[in-house]
Amino acid sequence: INPSNAFNGYHVPKIFGRLPFMRKYLNFEATSLFPPLNLALLAAYTPSDVEVQIMDSCVEPIDDSLGADLVGITCLTGNATVAYQIADRFRARGSAVVMGGNHPTVLLEEALQHCDAVAVGEADETWPELIEDFRQRRLKRLYEPTRLPAMLQHPLPRWDLLRREKYLVPYTIQTSRGCPFDCNFCSVTAINGQKFRVRPIEDVVAEIQASGARKLFFVDDIINGHPEHARELMEALIPLKIKWGSQATINIAEDREMLRLAQASGCTFLFIGLESFLSPEFRKLGGCNAAPEKMLAAIRRIRDQGIAIWGSFIVGLETDTVATIQRTVELAIEAQLDFAQFSIMTPLPGTRLRQELLAQNRIFNHDWVNYTYGNLVFEPAHMTQEQVKQAYHEAWKAFYRLCSIYQRLGGWPLSKRRLLLWTINLGISRALSYGLNNTSNHQVPRAEESVVASIGGQVLE
């Protein structure tokens, strides 16, 4: 089971459907952006004589009456409360429940209050063992890999178990795990390690060919984390004539050959965690993050390849002030980013940031429902709580104002690509106007979903 997750939501205003060509890019039947690749892969690791069903609450209601012997639930921190409720209901009906994912991995004891077992970390190797133990009635409380699994000879994900028509991007593929960086706000290294592991290129190509997908998203945390592997992958993608998107660091702009290969291999969109144009907290990453001027130049080099950019920014950093946040938004507009996402700094379990803030007694909210990047749960360093919330709102509104959209995207003549960008940006602006003006607790209920939908449109283009 994949519990509902607003950040994987997909929503397109129906008015978009009046433009016939938009249906080529925006699946109006979809209700979610990406399918749960983790569950499709675990299903493939399950013995063939075990009946498996995948339920994704992002696209369909969970059938609590299902008489399952064993229920597996994955979750992140933001949907942990929902996941626990689902687990409690199935246990009450007599099903055994096992939980996994980032949140149960770092908060094992908490998760065990709602389930019979927890599979921590990456479950590629422990899942078959867990299934066999359950069959033999010797299910353990904890399943933990002795090492980070090598990404070799993955079985093909069970795509047949997914309602692919309900996803904007029905096929996602992973080519690497881990992250060479160790940002204090990120839990990737705590879960997947700092050592970067890669799949053999031939395995990735074989999976793409088996899927038959012409448009896909690589769900790697950083597609350019291992430059040599990334270049080899992109070279191998060229004959496949596909369109793809992924996540990358801004440092990809420093590798001219990789950028050329990305464009030649069909890359149409990159999600880039820019975090801040001004904060010295991110200059440790080196390269283009050293100064705003270098970051702007790097963004231009990526855009010159015809690759759309979704820039992600954090509000509420330790060095943030109202002025630095305002200036970051101005620079994001000046950089002509196609899209931007603004998130409030959130001290997730398992991160160094949370440990530091706990030690300083600065976290005042421990309800996981509020850990969705749109709520402030700690005392900021140089701003008041109200200033952070207001800066967050103003960042979204300023970036998606009509004048800002014009400055970023330009005007006449309108190509199909530019018209698509304009249409989706206007849709985001409309959703933001409704969400920010009609929500009293400073959340944006549909805005993030609309932004995700926007980027999905770029992947499909």
Side-chain angles (χ1 to χ4, degrees), residues 232-257:
E232 290 179 6
L233 171 65
M234 294 171 190
E235 189 106 42
L237 294 179
I238 294 175
L240 302 183
K241 300 186 183 302
I242 62 173
K243 299 292 185 182
W244 62 273
S246 190
Q247 300 179 102
T249 64
I250 189 66
N251 296 340
I252 193 173
E254 296 289 87
D255 192 327
R256 303 298 179 96
E257 176 64 9

Side-chain angles (χ1 to χ4, degrees), residues 250 253 256 259 272 277 288 292-307 309 331 334-337:
I250 189 66
R256 303 298 179 96
L259 270 186
I272 300 179
F277 280 108
C288 301
E293 296 78 15
K294 289 186 177 181
M295 291 177 72
L296 290 174
I299 290 168
R300 283 194 295 271
R301 286 197 291 273
I302 297 171
R303 295 184 74 253
D304 286 346
Q305 296 296 323
I307 299 172
I309 300 176
L331 288 169
E334 182 182 333
Q336 296 182 305
L337 293 175

Side-chain angles (χ1 to χ4, degrees), residues 421-439:
L421 292 171
W422 259 99
T423 303
I424 301 175
N425 268 268
L426 289 173
I428 297 171
S429 179
R430 179 180 177 184
L432 283 167
S433 176
Y434 176 82
L436 294 175
N437 292 332
N438 293 276
T439 308

Side-chain angles (χ1 to χ4, degrees), residues 146-158:
T146 56
R147 58 185 176 83
L148 290 172
M151 299 191 69
L152 303 173
Q153 299 179 327
H154 275 191
L156 292 177
R158 289 288 306 274

Side-chain angles (χ1 to χ4, degrees), residues 151 173-177 196-201 204 208 218-220 222-223 229 233:
M151 299 191 69
I173 292 178
Q174 189 175 51
T175 77
S176 65
R177 291 181 188 171
F196 206 73
R197 291 161 288 142
V198 298
R199 288 180 68 186
I201 300 297
V204 176
I208 294 173
F218 293 111
V219 294
D220 303 45
I222 302 179
I223 194 70
H229 181 266
L233 171 65

